Amino acid sequence: MRSFKTAFQRIPEPWLDQEATTWVRTAIGDMYFQLGDFARARTALLDAVRAPEGLLPQGAAASTPGRLTPKGGLSRDARWCAITGPG
């Protein structure tokens, strides 16, 4: 977890506009989920879907809070990142 938090801290501002945010926050969310900390997992994963290349189109975050995909799952790319980590 420390490595992912360090990676997140190195993403330049505005971090929500950086594609790296998608991958790093997905990995952090997955780790929190596996630890059973579902509130933190949700926060991290919502950041991931709102970032570039996330599941929500840019600008959709305000109109669809808490919505991951129409069926509630993660994309194949998000799952792959959550399993393997960024890079």
Side-chain angles (χ1 to χ4, degrees), residues 22-23 26-27 30 49 55 74-83:
T22 306
W23 306 113
T26 297
D30 180 63
V49 300
L55 301 175
L74 292 173
S75 73
R76 178 181 41 189
D77 290 339
R79 284 185 185 167
W80 176 254
C81 181
I83 293 167

Side-chain angles (χ1 to χ4, degrees), residues 55-56 67-73:
L55 301 175
L56 294 178
R67 183 174 163 205
L68 295 177
T69 67
K71 295 183 180 179

